Amino acid sequence: MVILETTHLTRTVDEKTLVNDISIQVERGETLSIVGPSGAGKSSFLRLLNRLDEPTSGTVLLDGADYKTLPSGELRRRVGMVLQSPYLFPGTVAENLRFGPRQHGKTLPEDRLRHLLRQVGLESYAERDIARLSGGEAQRVSLARTLANSPEVLLLDEPTSALDRTAEAEVESLLGEIIAAEGLTCLIITHNPEQAVRLSRRSMLLEAGKLVKIGPVEEVVHA
Amino acid sequence: MLNEFFKDQLWLGVFQAVVTVVLALVVTLVGRWWKIHLEKEVVIALVRGIVQIVIVALVLVALLKGPELVAIPVLLGMIITASFVSGRRVKGVAGSIWVSFYGIGFGAGLVILLMVLAGVIDPALTSVIPVGSMLIANSMNTCAQALERFASDVKAHTGQVEAGLALGAAPAEIVTPYSQLAVHSSLIPRIDQLSSLGIVWIPGLMSGMLVAGTDPVYAAIYQFSVITMMFASSGLTSVVAVLLVQRRVFSPAQQLLLRPGAPTAPSKKDRAA
Ligand SMILES: Nc1ncnc2c1ncn2[C@@H]1O[C@H](COP(=O)(O)OP(=O)(O)OP(=O)(O)O)[C@@H](O)[C@H]1O
Ligand SMILES: [Mg+2]
């Protein structure tokens, strides 16, 4: 079943078309990787999906409904995003995890908090100040913070590219486990073809804002 | 002592202006040596300053003979001009001039009105215009400072702000810390002004009153009241301006519009929005 669909999605800024007429469909529970050279418009495309940027034309359908009919806060709870850098809020790890649910008038239950921390391998970190986290730990907190909102779709913009080798492998394998365990629908930008193969079955290739190819990951990344 | 060389007061003035302008230019050149390029801005400001103040002096002399209601258009004109000065300081925020206008108009305007009604400010033109202009000028500086601080803090934290948006947070909630800091920091000069009153700073108003033979204790207390009003009008201005600008850095769909490298001048279209 299609959960997310883009129809002729386009964004033009100052006469430059960053995202050019992209129409794709994403199945519920599927992971789709997004690849392409630097400056191809991968981040620009992803930012349109939770409406952090406004499409110039075209739109996104979430569960069949035009996302412009949803309040932005609600849309972004359902379509979560993890960025290249974690950008945690000052305070403790637990406070960061509680932030999302609080925005929607909910309190993150304690057992859910512990479950999330266990999922990202940081059981004992709840009261740790975020200033005392390593890069890999911070990125895992950022992932848990997004998951705390129970999103239906997870957008990941090069979530491991700012990390060193060891941390990258660690975060990637955690990510794979969580996606499988939760049956999440996921769109992940990566510049690493091996990562695309490990995490996704299907992939799309962008170049200069255009969708060049979409299909089985092996065919797209090893073309 | 200079009076002996300049029989005509006007030539004394010209001489004083030339000396101070040379001083200002030297300071500007020192900045240039340190790669701080203020030349153009300073020269324009100097020319504008001298032309404006001379014209205003002449106009004021004429106006002060008029009815008290003349104060309203004069002060309104000052508020509008102050809005342009403050609004232009803030780059990348659409409608910053309007934000400044509401902030300064509300802050200084309300304080002037209330204080005239309460009998603190004498409605005579010779009193309400100079005191009003001091309040407006202080509100203007505070407004520019608050807006600039807010905008630069948001620009410096785009990652954090967008991380908050991506979690579904409301824009006002996310930028609250930057708003609080902007208001707070913009008022520090006003508080310093109060606490340094008389020690580091003997304002011109009081000096004038003393020269004119006013009772010194009254002159001092009145001066204190004026500085206190400056704090009040600046505080209101800062709060109103920051509350308004908060909403302008986001689109209706809660997207962050203010980014590093965002367009510098607000377009007409944006201002109307
Ligand atoms: N707000 C903007 N205004 C104008 N141009 C922009 C804006 N944001 C991005 N761009 C440009 O759009 C193009 C696509 O950028 P984008 O960040 O989407 O690429 P990317 O595929 O994610 O690249 P990378 O792999 O380096 O992250 C780039 O040329 C970039 O300079
Ligand atoms: Mg990118």
Side-chain angles (χ1 to χ4, degrees):
Chain A
M1 207 185 82
V2 174
I3 181 166
L4 187 105
E5 178 173 0
T6 68
T7 56
H8 305 289
L9 201 59
T10 302
R11 177 168 161 85
T12 305
V13 176
D14 301 332
E15 327 241 304
K16 188 170 187 261
T17 304
L18 311 182
V19 176
N20 196 342
D21 193 23
I22 296 185
S23 301
I24 60 156
Q25 294 187 332
V26 181
E27 297 284 327
R28 189 181 289 277
E30 138 176 75
T31 295
L32 174 70
S33 55
I34 303 170
V35 297
S38 184
K42 304 182 294 293
S43 300
S44 304
F45 174 66
L46 208 68
R47 290 170 57 89
L48 290 176
L49 300 183
N50 67 347
R51 220 175 163 202
L52 268 189
D53 286 328
E54 190 67 10
T56 324
S57 64
T59 191
V60 176
L61 306 178
L62 182 62
D63 249 341
D66 188 335
Y67 78 163
K68 290 182 184 171
T69 63
L70 300 171
S72 298
E74 170 63 9
L75 167 71
R76 291 172 189 154
R77 187 199 64 74
R78 294 174 61 188
V79 182
M81 188 177 215
V82 175
L83 302 160
Q84 193 171 5
S85 309
Y87 296 116
L88 300 179
F89 307 126
T92 65
V93 169
E95 281 161 7
N96 271 270
L97 265 59
R98 292 190 189 110
F99 180 88
R102 202 177 67 230
Q103 305 311 313
H104 306 95
K106 303 207 177 76
T107 313
L108 183 69
E110 278 305 303
D111 53 341
R112 173 109 174 101
L113 173 73
R114 278 196 303 278
H115 173 73
L116 288 166
L117 288 177
R118 205 175 318 122
Q119 274 190 318
V120 296
L122 299 173
E123 289 94 328
S124 57
Y125 280 60
E127 296 314 316
R128 176 81 71 100
D129 192 291
I130 58 114
R132 296 194 299 121
L133 295 176
S134 72
E137 288 164 350
Q139 190 60 317
R140 284 186 272 161
V141 173
S142 159
L143 175 62
R145 181 176 68 174
T146 301
L147 293 174
N149 260 340
S150 311
E152 293 160 40
V153 178
L154 186 61
L155 309 175
L156 301 144
D157 191 349
E158 305 198 32
T160 63
S161 65
L163 306 174
D164 63 40
R165 281 275 183 100
T166 334
E168 170 161 27
E170 216 173 63
V171 172
E172 186 195 301
S173 75
L174 277 170
L175 199 57
E177 285 166 27
I178 294 171
I179 293 169
E182 307 282 318
L184 280 169
T185 309
C186 197
L187 284 91
I188 179 169
I189 297 178
T190 175
H191 58 237
N192 177 346
E194 269 63 55
Q195 189 174 61
V197 171
R198 285 192 296 267
L199 289 174
S200 68
R201 294 239 184 89
R202 213 156 63 102
S203 188
M204 62 188 276
L205 171 65
L206 292 186
E207 265 168 34
K210 289 208 183 84
L211 176 61
V212 177
K213 210 170 183 185
I214 183 165
V217 62
E218 298 281 357
E219 286 176 26
V220 174
V221 299
H222 294 135
Chain B
M1 118 204 116
L2 280 173
N3 299 8
E4 291 165 28
F5 295 97
F6 298 96
K7 296 257 159 32
D8 188 344
Q9 214 180 19
L10 193 60
W11 285 109
L12 171 65
V14 170
F15 170 77
Q16 289 168 326
V18 168
V19 173
T20 52
V21 164
V22 168
L23 182 65
L25 291 178
V26 168
V27 171
T28 310
L29 288 179
V30 172
R32 183 196 162 98
W33 173 72
W34 215 39
K35 294 208 169 62
I36 304 169
H37 289 285
L38 291 170
E39 304 94 338
K40 212 176 122 198
E41 250 180 297
V42 169
V43 169
I44 293 173
L46 286 172
V47 173
R48 279 187 57 172
I50 182 72
V51 173
Q52 285 162 201
I53 194 78
V54 169
I55 292 176
V56 165
L58 297 175
V59 172
L60 271 184
V61 168
L63 279 179
L64 289 178
K65 297 186 184 104
E68 283 174 3
L69 283 183
V70 167
I72 294 174
V74 171
L75 292 174
L76 189 64
M78 287 176 175
I79 291 175
I80 291 171
T81 317
S83 311
F84 276 89
V85 175
S86 160
R88 288 223 180 103
R89 272 267 164 246
V90 201
K91 311 285 187 207
V93 180
S96 55
I97 292 173
W98 276 113
V99 168
S100 302
F101 177 72
Y102 292 128
I104 300 169
F106 188 77
L110 190 69
V111 168
I112 294 171
L113 184 70
L114 286 179
M115 293 301 106
V116 167
L117 291 178
V120 175
I121 302 177
D122 182 352
L125 290 179
T126 44
S127 167
V128 78
I129 288 180
V131 173
S133 84
M134 277 189 263
L135 297 184
I136 292 168
N138 274 269
S139 279
M140 172 182 88
N141 288 332
T142 305
C143 188
Q145 220 162 7
L147 293 180
E148 204 170 13
R149 175 67 189 259
F150 178 81
S152 68
D153 267 0
V154 169
K155 274 192 222 171
H157 294 95
T158 37
Q160 231 107 2
V161 171
E162 291 201 319
L165 289 176
L167 289 163
E173 166 102 3
I174 303 171
V175 297
T176 297
Y178 313 126
S179 307
Q180 290 166 335
L181 260 178
V183 171
H184 190 143
S185 70
S186 75
L187 289 179
I188 288 175
R190 299 297 151 257
I191 296 169
D192 287 349
Q193 234 170 13
L194 264 175
S195 58
S196 69
L197 191 58
I199 303 177
V200 198
W201 185 44
I202 299 180
L205 184 72
M206 181 168 106
S207 323
M209 286 170 82
L210 290 178
V211 170
T214 313
D215 177 69
V217 175
Y218 175 71
I221 293 178
Y222 187 65
Q223 183 62 61
F224 164 81
S225 310
V226 170
I227 308 286
T228 305
M229 287 189 275
M230 284 179 185
F231 169 77
S233 100
S234 296
L236 282 177
T237 297
S238 185
V239 168
V240 170
V242 169
L243 281 178
L244 290 176
V245 81
Q246 269 188 359
R247 300 194 292 154
R248 296 213 171 227
V249 299
F250 294 96
S251 70
Q254 312 192 340
Q255 293 140 341
L256 180 63
L257 300 174
L258 185 65
R259 304 252 177 74
T264 51
S267 68
K268 278 212 187 82
K269 197 183 85 225
D270 287 334
R271 237 183 291 150

PDB file of all heavy atoms in Angstrom, chain B residues 204-232:
ATOM      1  N   GLY B 204      22.507  66.020  29.158  1.00  0.00           N
ATOM      2  CA  GLY B 204      22.397  67.396  28.698  1.00  0.00           C
ATOM      3  C   GLY B 204      21.164  68.112  29.220  1.00  0.00           C
ATOM      4  O   GLY B 204      21.197  69.305  29.519  1.00  0.00           O
ATOM      5  N   LEU B 205      20.084  67.352  29.373  1.00  0.00           N
ATOM      6  CA  LEU B 205      18.837  67.966  29.824  1.00  0.00           C
ATOM      7  C   LEU B 205      19.023  68.635  31.182  1.00  0.00           C
ATOM      8  O   LEU B 205      18.655  69.785  31.396  1.00  0.00           O
ATOM      9  CB  LEU B 205      17.745  66.895  29.916  1.00  0.00           C
ATOM     10  CG  LEU B 205      16.345  67.378  30.295  1.00  0.00           C
ATOM     11  CD1 LEU B 205      15.720  68.147  29.139  1.00  0.00           C
ATOM     12  CD2 LEU B 205      15.461  66.203  30.671  1.00  0.00           C
ATOM     13  N   MET B 206      19.649  67.883  32.090  1.00  0.00           N
ATOM     14  CA  MET B 206      19.852  68.418  33.434  1.00  0.00           C
ATOM     15  C   MET B 206      20.825  69.588  33.406  1.00  0.00           C
ATOM     16  O   MET B 206      20.579  70.619  34.033  1.00  0.00           O
ATOM     17  CB  MET B 206      20.376  67.326  34.365  1.00  0.00           C
ATOM     18  CG  MET B 206      20.584  67.829  35.778  1.00  0.00           C
ATOM     19  SD  MET B 206      20.856  66.497  36.940  1.00  0.00           S
ATOM     20  CE  MET B 206      22.589  66.669  37.240  1.00  0.00           C
ATOM     21  N   SER B 207      21.897  69.438  32.634  1.00  0.00           N
ATOM     22  CA  SER B 207      22.861  70.528  32.530  1.00  0.00           C
ATOM     23  C   SER B 207      22.148  71.796  32.081  1.00  0.00           C
ATOM     24  O   SER B 207      22.360  72.877  32.632  1.00  0.00           O
ATOM     25  CB  SER B 207      23.963  70.190  31.526  1.00  0.00           C
ATOM     26  OG  SER B 207      24.297  68.829  31.607  1.00  0.00           O
ATOM     27  N   GLY B 208      21.279  71.662  31.078  1.00  0.00           N
ATOM     28  CA  GLY B 208      20.538  72.801  30.562  1.00  0.00           C
ATOM     29  C   GLY B 208      19.679  73.439  31.637  1.00  0.00           C
ATOM     30  O   GLY B 208      19.650  74.662  31.789  1.00  0.00           O
ATOM     31  N   MET B 209      18.977  72.577  32.389  1.00  0.00           N
ATOM     32  CA  MET B 209      18.098  73.105  33.434  1.00  0.00           C
ATOM     33  C   MET B 209      18.905  73.853  34.495  1.00  0.00           C
ATOM     34  O   MET B 209      18.481  74.893  34.999  1.00  0.00           O
ATOM     35  CB  MET B 209      17.298  71.961  34.082  1.00  0.00           C
ATOM     36  CG  MET B 209      16.180  71.440  33.185  1.00  0.00           C
ATOM     37  SD  MET B 209      15.427  69.918  33.825  1.00  0.00           S
ATOM     38  CE  MET B 209      14.271  70.571  35.026  1.00  0.00           C
ATOM     39  N   LEU B 210      20.069  73.292  34.823  1.00  0.00           N
ATOM     40  CA  LEU B 210      20.909  73.947  35.831  1.00  0.00           C
ATOM     41  C   LEU B 210      21.365  75.309  35.344  1.00  0.00           C
ATOM     42  O   LEU B 210      21.294  76.308  36.067  1.00  0.00           O
ATOM     43  CB  LEU B 210      22.124  73.069  36.168  1.00  0.00           C
ATOM     44  CG  LEU B 210      21.805  71.793  36.947  1.00  0.00           C
ATOM     45  CD1 LEU B 210      23.078  70.993  37.184  1.00  0.00           C
ATOM     46  CD2 LEU B 210      21.129  72.123  38.271  1.00  0.00           C
ATOM     47  N   VAL B 211      21.815  75.348  34.063  1.00  0.00           N
ATOM     48  CA  VAL B 211      22.250  76.617  33.485  1.00  0.00           C
ATOM     49  C   VAL B 211      21.109  77.622  33.517  1.00  0.00           C
ATOM     50  O   VAL B 211      21.300  78.801  33.806  1.00  0.00           O
ATOM     51  CB  VAL B 211      22.756  76.403  32.037  1.00  0.00           C
ATOM     52  CG1 VAL B 211      22.990  77.734  31.348  1.00  0.00           C
ATOM     53  CG2 VAL B 211      24.027  75.563  32.049  1.00  0.00           C
ATOM     54  N   ALA B 212      19.875  77.103  33.248  1.00  0.00           N
ATOM     55  CA  ALA B 212      18.718  77.996  33.218  1.00  0.00           C
ATOM     56  C   ALA B 212      18.256  78.402  34.628  1.00  0.00           C
ATOM     57  O   ALA B 212      17.279  79.122  34.776  1.00  0.00           O
ATOM     58  CB  ALA B 212      17.569  77.319  32.466  1.00  0.00           C
ATOM     59  N   GLY B 213      18.928  77.904  35.648  1.00  0.00           N
ATOM     60  CA  GLY B 213      18.634  78.340  37.003  1.00  0.00           C
ATOM     61  C   GLY B 213      17.556  77.561  37.726  1.00  0.00           C
ATOM     62  O   GLY B 213      17.012  78.043  38.725  1.00  0.00           O
ATOM     63  N   THR B 214      17.232  76.348  37.237  1.00  0.00           N
ATOM     64  CA  THR B 214      16.249  75.513  37.929  1.00  0.00           C
ATOM     65  C   THR B 214      16.841  75.020  39.249  1.00  0.00           C
ATOM     66  O   THR B 214      18.059  74.856  39.366  1.00  0.00           O
ATOM     67  CB  THR B 214      15.885  74.286  37.072  1.00  0.00           C
ATOM     68  OG1 THR B 214      15.635  74.739  35.744  1.00  0.00           O
ATOM     69  CG2 THR B 214      14.664  73.558  37.612  1.00  0.00           C
ATOM     70  N   ASP B 215      15.973  74.756  40.209  1.00  0.00           N
ATOM     71  CA  ASP B 215      16.435  74.183  41.470  1.00  0.00           C
ATOM     72  C   ASP B 215      17.200  72.894  41.182  1.00  0.00           C
ATOM     73  O   ASP B 215      16.675  72.006  40.504  1.00  0.00           O
ATOM     74  CB  ASP B 215      15.219  73.883  42.366  1.00  0.00           C
ATOM     75  CG  ASP B 215      15.652  73.216  43.660  1.00  0.00           C
ATOM     76  OD1 ASP B 215      16.297  73.903  44.474  1.00  0.00           O
ATOM     77  OD2 ASP B 215      15.368  72.007  43.816  1.00  0.00           O
ATOM     78  N   PRO B 216      18.429  72.749  41.647  1.00  0.00           N
ATOM     79  CA  PRO B 216      19.258  71.604  41.261  1.00  0.00           C
ATOM     80  C   PRO B 216      18.639  70.261  41.647  1.00  0.00           C
ATOM     81  O   PRO B 216      18.733  69.303  40.881  1.00  0.00           O
ATOM     82  CB  PRO B 216      20.578  71.833  41.998  1.00  0.00           C
ATOM     83  CG  PRO B 216      20.389  72.996  42.882  1.00  0.00           C
ATOM     84  CD  PRO B 216      19.156  73.726  42.477  1.00  0.00           C
ATOM     85  N   VAL B 217      18.007  70.181  42.816  1.00  0.00           N
ATOM     86  CA  VAL B 217      17.426  68.888  43.216  1.00  0.00           C
ATOM     87  C   VAL B 217      16.268  68.528  42.281  1.00  0.00           C
ATOM     88  O   VAL B 217      16.130  67.392  41.832  1.00  0.00           O
ATOM     89  CB  VAL B 217      16.962  68.915  44.687  1.00  0.00           C
ATOM     90  CG1 VAL B 217      16.259  67.601  45.028  1.00  0.00           C
ATOM     91  CG2 VAL B 217      18.148  69.142  45.597  1.00  0.00           C
ATOM     92  N   TYR B 218      15.458  69.547  41.932  1.00  0.00           N
ATOM     93  CA  TYR B 218      14.371  69.261  41.003  1.00  0.00           C
ATOM     94  C   TYR B 218      14.923  68.838  39.641  1.00  0.00           C
ATOM     95  O   TYR B 218      14.464  67.853  39.046  1.00  0.00           O
ATOM     96  CB  TYR B 218      13.448  70.469  40.833  1.00  0.00           C
ATOM     97  CG  TYR B 218      12.404  70.186  39.783  1.00  0.00           C
ATOM     98  CD1 TYR B 218      11.373  69.272  40.038  1.00  0.00           C
ATOM     99  CD2 TYR B 218      12.490  70.760  38.514  1.00  0.00           C
ATOM    100  CE1 TYR B 218      10.452  68.953  39.056  1.00  0.00           C
ATOM    101  CE2 TYR B 218      11.559  70.442  37.528  1.00  0.00           C
ATOM    102  CZ  TYR B 218      10.552  69.538  37.811  1.00  0.00           C
ATOM    103  OH  TYR B 218       9.649  69.211  36.840  1.00  0.00           O
ATOM    104  N   ALA B 219      15.946  69.563  39.169  1.00  0.00           N
ATOM    105  CA  ALA B 219      16.549  69.220  37.874  1.00  0.00           C
ATOM    106  C   ALA B 219      17.026  67.769  37.896  1.00  0.00           C
ATOM    107  O   ALA B 219      16.827  67.008  36.947  1.00  0.00           O
ATOM    108  CB  ALA B 219      17.710  70.160  37.563  1.00  0.00           C
ATOM    109  N   ALA B 220      17.633  67.367  38.996  1.00  0.00           N
ATOM    110  CA  ALA B 220      18.164  65.997  39.113  1.00  0.00           C
ATOM    111  C   ALA B 220      17.027  64.979  39.101  1.00  0.00           C
ATOM    112  O   ALA B 220      17.075  63.976  38.391  1.00  0.00           O
ATOM    113  CB  ALA B 220      18.979  65.872  40.395  1.00  0.00           C
ATOM    114  N   ILE B 221      15.985  65.255  39.894  1.00  0.00           N
ATOM    115  CA  ILE B 221      14.877  64.296  39.972  1.00  0.00           C
ATOM    116  C   ILE B 221      14.159  64.192  38.631  1.00  0.00           C
ATOM    117  O   ILE B 221      13.812  63.104  38.175  1.00  0.00           O
ATOM    118  CB  ILE B 221      13.893  64.699  41.093  1.00  0.00           C
ATOM    119  CG1 ILE B 221      14.588  64.551  42.460  1.00  0.00           C
ATOM    120  CG2 ILE B 221      12.634  63.844  41.052  1.00  0.00           C
ATOM    121  CD1 ILE B 221      13.739  64.970  43.626  1.00  0.00           C
ATOM    122  N   TYR B 222      13.988  65.334  37.966  1.00  0.00           N
ATOM    123  CA  TYR B 222      13.321  65.308  36.677  1.00  0.00           C
ATOM    124  C   TYR B 222      14.143  64.493  35.661  1.00  0.00           C
ATOM    125  O   TYR B 222      13.617  63.689  34.904  1.00  0.00           O
ATOM    126  CB  TYR B 222      13.084  66.727  36.156  1.00  0.00           C
ATOM    127  CG  TYR B 222      12.244  66.730  34.907  1.00  0.00           C
ATOM    128  CD1 TYR B 222      10.920  66.299  34.947  1.00  0.00           C
ATOM    129  CD2 TYR B 222      12.775  67.135  33.687  1.00  0.00           C
ATOM    130  CE1 TYR B 222      10.151  66.273  33.809  1.00  0.00           C
ATOM    131  CE2 TYR B 222      12.004  67.105  32.537  1.00  0.00           C
ATOM    132  CZ  TYR B 222      10.687  66.678  32.600  1.00  0.00           C
ATOM    133  OH  TYR B 222       9.925  66.642  31.473  1.00  0.00           O
ATOM    134  N   GLN B 223      15.457  64.716  35.718  1.00  0.00           N
ATOM    135  CA  GLN B 223      16.333  63.952  34.831  1.00  0.00           C
ATOM    136  C   GLN B 223      16.184  62.445  35.077  1.00  0.00           C
ATOM    137  O   GLN B 223      16.103  61.653  34.160  1.00  0.00           O
ATOM    138  CB  GLN B 223      17.791  64.365  35.049  1.00  0.00           C
ATOM    139  CG  GLN B 223      18.744  63.666  34.114  1.00  0.00           C
ATOM    140  CD  GLN B 223      18.448  64.003  32.664  1.00  0.00           C
ATOM    141  OE1 GLN B 223      18.519  65.169  32.265  1.00  0.00           O
ATOM    142  NE2 GLN B 223      18.073  63.003  31.881  1.00  0.00           N
ATOM    143  N   PHE B 224      16.135  62.102  36.353  1.00  0.00           N
ATOM    144  CA  PHE B 224      15.946  60.692  36.704  1.00  0.00           C
ATOM    145  C   PHE B 224      14.632  60.166  36.114  1.00  0.00           C
ATOM    146  O   PHE B 224      14.585  59.079  35.544  1.00  0.00           O
ATOM    147  CB  PHE B 224      15.943  60.548  38.236  1.00  0.00           C
ATOM    148  CG  PHE B 224      15.393  59.230  38.705  1.00  0.00           C
ATOM    149  CD1 PHE B 224      16.186  58.093  38.696  1.00  0.00           C
ATOM    150  CD2 PHE B 224      14.072  59.132  39.133  1.00  0.00           C
ATOM    151  CE1 PHE B 224      15.678  56.876  39.114  1.00  0.00           C
ATOM    152  CE2 PHE B 224      13.552  57.910  39.544  1.00  0.00           C
ATOM    153  CZ  PHE B 224      14.352  56.794  39.536  1.00  0.00           C
ATOM    154  N   SER B 225      13.574  60.973  36.226  1.00  0.00           N
ATOM    155  CA  SER B 225      12.280  60.545  35.687  1.00  0.00           C
ATOM    156  C   SER B 225      12.360  60.317  34.180  1.00  0.00           C
ATOM    157  O   SER B 225      11.777  59.372  33.657  1.00  0.00           O
ATOM    158  CB  SER B 225      11.203  61.587  35.977  1.00  0.00           C
ATOM    159  OG  SER B 225      11.231  61.937  37.329  1.00  0.00           O
ATOM    160  N   VAL B 226      13.085  61.203  33.506  1.00  0.00           N
ATOM    161  CA  VAL B 226      13.185  61.053  32.048  1.00  0.00           C
ATOM    162  C   VAL B 226      13.909  59.747  31.701  1.00  0.00           C
ATOM    163  O   VAL B 226      13.478  58.995  30.824  1.00  0.00           O
ATOM    164  CB  VAL B 226      13.899  62.269  31.425  1.00  0.00           C
ATOM    165  CG1 VAL B 226      14.214  62.007  29.953  1.00  0.00           C
ATOM    166  CG2 VAL B 226      13.025  63.508  31.551  1.00  0.00           C
ATOM    167  N   ILE B 227      14.988  59.460  32.400  1.00  0.00           N
ATOM    168  CA  ILE B 227      15.735  58.223  32.119  1.00  0.00           C
ATOM    169  C   ILE B 227      14.858  57.005  32.448  1.00  0.00           C
ATOM    170  O   ILE B 227      14.892  55.993  31.758  1.00  0.00           O
ATOM    171  CB  ILE B 227      17.043  58.153  32.953  1.00  0.00           C
ATOM    172  CG1 ILE B 227      17.854  59.423  32.791  1.00  0.00           C
ATOM    173  CG2 ILE B 227      17.849  56.926  32.569  1.00  0.00           C
ATOM    174  CD1 ILE B 227      18.549  59.574  31.492  1.00  0.00           C
ATOM    175  N   THR B 228      14.067  57.119  33.506  1.00  0.00           N
ATOM    176  CA  THR B 228      13.178  56.006  33.861  1.00  0.00           C
ATOM    177  C   THR B 228      12.130  55.790  32.766  1.00  0.00           C
ATOM    178  O   THR B 228      11.824  54.653  32.407  1.00  0.00           O
ATOM    179  CB  THR B 228      12.511  56.290  35.215  1.00  0.00           C
ATOM    180  OG1 THR B 228      13.542  56.546  36.162  1.00  0.00           O
ATOM    181  CG2 THR B 228      11.693  55.108  35.693  1.00  0.00           C
ATOM    182  N   MET B 229      11.623  56.897  32.226  1.00  0.00           N
ATOM    183  CA  MET B 229      10.678  56.771  31.110  1.00  0.00           C
ATOM    184  C   MET B 229      11.355  56.134  29.904  1.00  0.00           C
ATOM    185  O   MET B 229      10.739  55.349  29.165  1.00  0.00           O
ATOM    186  CB  MET B 229      10.120  58.145  30.728  1.00  0.00           C
ATOM    187  CG  MET B 229       9.127  58.709  31.726  1.00  0.00           C
ATOM    188  SD  MET B 229       8.334  60.192  31.078  1.00  0.00           S
ATOM    189  CE  MET B 229       9.509  61.456  31.533  1.00  0.00           C
ATOM    190  N   MET B 230      12.623  56.464  29.693  1.00  0.00           N
ATOM    191  CA  MET B 230      13.363  55.862  28.570  1.00  0.00           C
ATOM    192  C   MET B 230      13.401  54.353  28.729  1.00  0.00           C
ATOM    193  O   MET B 230      13.241  53.608  27.766  1.00  0.00           O
ATOM    194  CB  MET B 230      14.805  56.372  28.544  1.00  0.00           C
ATOM    195  CG  MET B 230      14.962  57.772  28.018  1.00  0.00           C
ATOM    196  SD  MET B 230      16.723  58.155  28.102  1.00  0.00           S
ATOM    197  CE  MET B 230      16.679  59.847  27.591  1.00  0.00           C
ATOM    198  N   PHE B 231      13.638  53.922  29.961  1.00  0.00           N
ATOM    199  CA  PHE B 231      13.673  52.478  30.199  1.00  0.00           C
ATOM    200  C   PHE B 231      12.311  51.869  29.886  1.00  0.00           C
ATOM    201  O   PHE B 231      12.210  50.849  29.200  1.00  0.00           O
ATOM    202  CB  PHE B 231      14.061  52.189  31.649  1.00  0.00           C
ATOM    203  CG  PHE B 231      13.870  50.751  32.025  1.00  0.00           C
ATOM    204  CD1 PHE B 231      14.787  49.789  31.620  1.00  0.00           C
ATOM    205  CD2 PHE B 231      12.763  50.346  32.765  1.00  0.00           C
ATOM    206  CE1 PHE B 231      14.607  48.459  31.928  1.00  0.00           C
ATOM    207  CE2 PHE B 231      12.573  49.008  33.078  1.00  0.00           C
ATOM    208  CZ  PHE B 231      13.499  48.072  32.663  1.00  0.00           C
ATOM    209  N   ALA B 232      11.236  52.525  30.371  1.00  0.00           N
ATOM    210  CA  ALA B 232       9.897  51.973  30.154  1.00  0.00           C
ATOM    211  C   ALA B 232       9.558  51.928  28.667  1.00  0.00           C
ATOM    212  O   ALA B 232       9.079  50.904  28.157  1.00  0.00           O
ATOM    213  CB  ALA B 232       8.867  52.806  30.910  1.00  0.00           C
TER     214      ALA B 232
END
